[in-house]
């Protein structure tokens, strides 16, 4: 199973980016193979609106089943839910720490968006 | 004649110019307030009863019984307003610009369009000025469709002044597009010049005739004049930095009413514009 973690860097020691929609990159981690790759989310950094929706589509295309991030807004939540991706909020400072929290079952699945939409 | 009044920087005097110019016209003129997120031209005019028209955008609605999850709607949407994952699509009405593309491309015709209110167009009369104001609803992000509705409310063959929002993005383009001339209002400051250069690039890209109006002349320096001279841009009017203008403004009184000595500035501007368009 693959999970996505929001980050501004390129490896496990990189900082976790608390934003989902406007995260510069996603680290896609394959839990079975213990390998990862990093994908760009740059097209969304400057999006006026709808960044969460596009980010959701972006990681759905990667076939991930879970997302570990800082915060997730209402539009992104609807998209992720429709794509069957579970959301886990964390305050971890690095990707490795977030991954460890996920693996050891320290994170609980989010039942709703945890921040307001920017255009609400 | 259709004139638009724009600027890069906000607060340079677009509404001051638009309203005074409308006021001094010798004939019936439309003043269209296209700054739909924050319309303010009405503050300077004593208007009659307001006629209000609701403006809506057509938003898609999906009949899940007909949808086969092909995803074409999601592919054509430039604003992520309709999203699909092989199932019936999710619709985000607040993202939709109402282009109708999704309904058009849907093979099983599962998408129908339904109106979503985005704001109102208000029409009122202030002596010889017909004021048409766009007022976007709170929380709505799409100004351009409402600005287009304001422009459509202008009767054909009437002289009209379009008071644009600040900046150089979509709402400004919607306001100035298809006008005969753009007046770019600026102020003699570094910020004023910086944003004027952006606005000049914009109107050149749109290939619209334009000229510059410098407001609060005397408060800064002559950098605007130097720029316009180098770029061969006509400066059509300089409004002096006069505290009495600001005092009248703060009471909602137009410069040409409070200070008759300035009437000739705007009368001359009308003449200059007419000459340059002929």
């Amino acid at each position: 199973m693959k999970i996505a973690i929001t980050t501004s860097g390129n490896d496990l020691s990189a900082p976790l980016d608390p934003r989902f929609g406007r995260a510069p990159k996603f680290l896609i981690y394959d839990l079975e193979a213990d390998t990862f790759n990093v994908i760009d989310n740059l097209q969304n950094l400057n999006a006026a609106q709808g960044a969460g929706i596009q980010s959701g589509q972006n990681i759905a295309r990667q076939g991930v089943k879970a997302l570990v991030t800082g915060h997730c807004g209402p539009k992104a939540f609807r998209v992720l839910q429709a794509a069957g991706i579970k959301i886990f909020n964390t305050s971890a400072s690095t990707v490795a720490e977030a991954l460890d929290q996920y693996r050891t079952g320290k994170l609980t699945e989010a039942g709703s968006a945890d921040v307001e939409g920017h255009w609400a | 004649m259709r004139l638009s009044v724009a600027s890069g920087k906000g607060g340079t005097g677009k509404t001051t110019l638009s309203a005074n110019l409308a006021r001094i016209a010798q004939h019936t003129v439309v003043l269209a307030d296209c700054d739909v997120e924050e319309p303010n031209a009405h503050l300077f005019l004593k208007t009659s009863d307001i006629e209000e028209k609701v403006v809506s955008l057509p938003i898609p609605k999906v009949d899940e019984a007909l949808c086969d999850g092909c995803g074409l709607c999601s592919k054509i949407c430039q604003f992520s307003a309709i999203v699909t994952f092989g199932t019936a699509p999710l619709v985000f009405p607040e993202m939709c610009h109402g282009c109708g593309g999704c309904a058009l491309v849907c093979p099983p015709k599962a998408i129908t369009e339904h109106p979503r209110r985005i704001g109102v167009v208000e029409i009122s009369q202030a002596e010889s000025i017909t004021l048409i104001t766009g007022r976007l609803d709170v929380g709505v992000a799409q100004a351009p469709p409402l600005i287009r509705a304001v422009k459509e409310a202008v009767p054909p063959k009437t002289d009209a002044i379009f008071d644009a929002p600040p900046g150089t993005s979509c709402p400004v383009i919607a306001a100035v597009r298809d006008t005969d001339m753009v007046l770019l209002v600026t102020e003699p400051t570094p910020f004023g010049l910086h944003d004027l250069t952006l606005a000049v690039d914009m109107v050149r890209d749109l290939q619209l005739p334009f000229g510059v109006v410098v407001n609060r002349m005397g408060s800064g320096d002559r950098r605007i004049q130097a720029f316009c001279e180098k770029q061969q841009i006509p400066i059509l009017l300089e409004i002096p930095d006069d505290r009495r203008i600001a005092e009248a403004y703060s009471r909602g009184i137009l410069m040409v009413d409070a200070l008759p000595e300035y009437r000739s500035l705007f009368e001359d501007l009308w003449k200059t514009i007419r000459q340059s368009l002929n």
Side-chain angles (χ1 to χ4, degrees):
Chain A
M1 178 181 135
K2 288 200 266 186
I3 68 167
I5 302 171
T6 49
T7 181
S8 52
N10 291 310
D11 53 38
L12 296 176
S13 62
L16 180 123
D17 195 306
R19 302 165 302 173
F20 171 61
R22 288 169 203 279
K25 290 166 188 179
F26 299 113
L27 187 142
I28 311 292
Y29 198 90
D30 187 324
L31 294 167
E32 282 84 34
D34 257 335
T35 55
F36 66 86
N37 63 303
V38 175
I39 62 161
D40 219 30
N41 193 38
L42 280 178
Q43 86 285 353
N44 268 350
L45 266 184
N46 299 317
Q49 45 183 312
I53 300 172
Q54 287 180 42
S55 292
Q57 291 175 288
N58 203 354
I59 63 165
R61 275 195 293 270
Q62 301 295 318
V64 309
K65 294 286 170 234
L67 164 72
V68 181
T69 187
H71 304 287
C72 181
K75 294 198 199 83
F77 189 87
R78 273 183 67 198
V79 170
L80 294 167
Q81 213 174 24
I85 298 170
K86 291 177 175 171
I87 303 154
F88 298 88
N89 298 118
T90 177
S91 53
S93 56
T94 65
V95 174
E97 190 187 339
L99 183 63
D100 183 59
Q101 286 175 338
Y102 179 82
R103 279 185 148 155
T104 53
K106 288 196 181 113
L107 300 174
T108 46
E109 188 185 338
S112 66
D114 74 320
V115 286
E116 292 277 320
H118 299 295
W119 296 88
Chain B
M1 181 171 53
R2 305 271 151 128
L3 290 177
S4 53
V5 179
S7 72
K9 185 180 177 299
T12 54
K14 286 180 297 300
T15 305
T16 297
L17 178 70
S18 307
N20 281 288
L21 202 54
R23 184 77 166 159
I24 216 75
Q26 303 292 317
H27 53 286
T28 307
V29 65
V30 169
L31 174 57
D33 196 341
C34 297
D35 191 0
V36 300
E37 288 177 81
E38 221 159 22
N40 66 340
H42 62 281
L43 300 174
F44 304 96
L45 301 170
K46 289 186 180 61
T47 54
S48 64
D49 289 347
I50 295 168
E51 179 201 338
E52 190 181 280
K53 294 178 183 169
V54 172
V55 179
S56 301
L57 278 185
I59 301 296
K61 194 174 167 189
V62 183
D63 183 340
E64 296 194 8
L66 294 176
C67 175
D68 60 7
C70 74
L72 283 177
C73 53
S74 176
K75 277 202 189 83
I76 199 170
C77 184
Q78 300 299 298
F79 299 99
S80 305
I82 188 159
V83 176
T84 174
F85 298 96
T87 54
L90 295 176
V91 177
F92 293 90
E94 64 274 41
M95 307 296 294
C96 178
H97 284 55
C99 76
C102 55
L104 210 61
V105 299
C106 178
K109 302 284 168 225
I111 298 175
T112 48
E113 295 178 281
H114 300 268
R116 170 184 182 245
R117 183 189 147 125
I118 58 165
V120 293
V121 170
E122 301 169 349
I123 303 173
S124 60
Q125 202 66 36
E127 296 177 30
S128 62
I129 300 174
T130 303
L131 177 66
I132 304 180
T133 297
R135 196 178 292 279
L136 198 66
D137 285 349
V138 172
V140 175
Q142 292 89 347
L146 184 56
I147 293 170
R148 288 194 285 272
V150 169
K151 294 178 89 167
E152 281 162 19
V154 177
K157 292 178 185 150
T158 318
D159 280 355
I161 301 169
F162 298 93
D163 186 6
T168 51
S169 63
C170 300
V172 186
I173 309 286
V176 305
R177 177 170 278 164
D178 300 326
T179 59
D180 299 313
M181 186 177 194
V182 188
L183 306 178
L184 295 177
V185 191
T186 188
E187 58 184 30
T189 63
F191 196 177
L193 175 60
H194 176 271
D195 284 9
L196 174 66
T197 59
L198 299 178
V200 165
D201 287 348
M202 173 189 75
V203 291
R204 280 186 174 152
D205 216 55
L206 293 168
Q207 298 183 324
L208 292 169
F210 69 101
V212 164
V213 171
V214 189
N215 193 11
R216 297 188 205 106
M217 197 51 227
S219 64
D221 51 29
R222 296 193 62 81
R223 67 182 70 218
I224 302 291
Q225 284 76 1
F227 169 77
C228 289
E229 197 175 313
K230 199 173 167 193
Q231 297 276 325
Q232 296 184 308
I233 298 166
I235 294 182
L236 304 173
L237 172 66
E238 293 180 348
I239 302 170
D241 183 38
D242 181 340
R243 187 184 163 90
R244 295 174 304 160
I245 296 174
E247 284 171 1
Y249 179 99
S250 71
R251 292 188 203 99
I253 302 169
L254 289 173
M255 189 192 314
V256 292
D257 290 334
L259 304 160
E261 63 265 41
Y262 287 131
R263 293 176 76 95
S264 62
L265 283 184
F266 294 92
E267 285 161 359
D268 291 347
L269 180 58
W270 270 117
K271 283 181 207 147
T272 312
I273 292 167
R274 285 192 195 286
Q275 277 163 7
S276 72
L277 287 176
N278 284 336

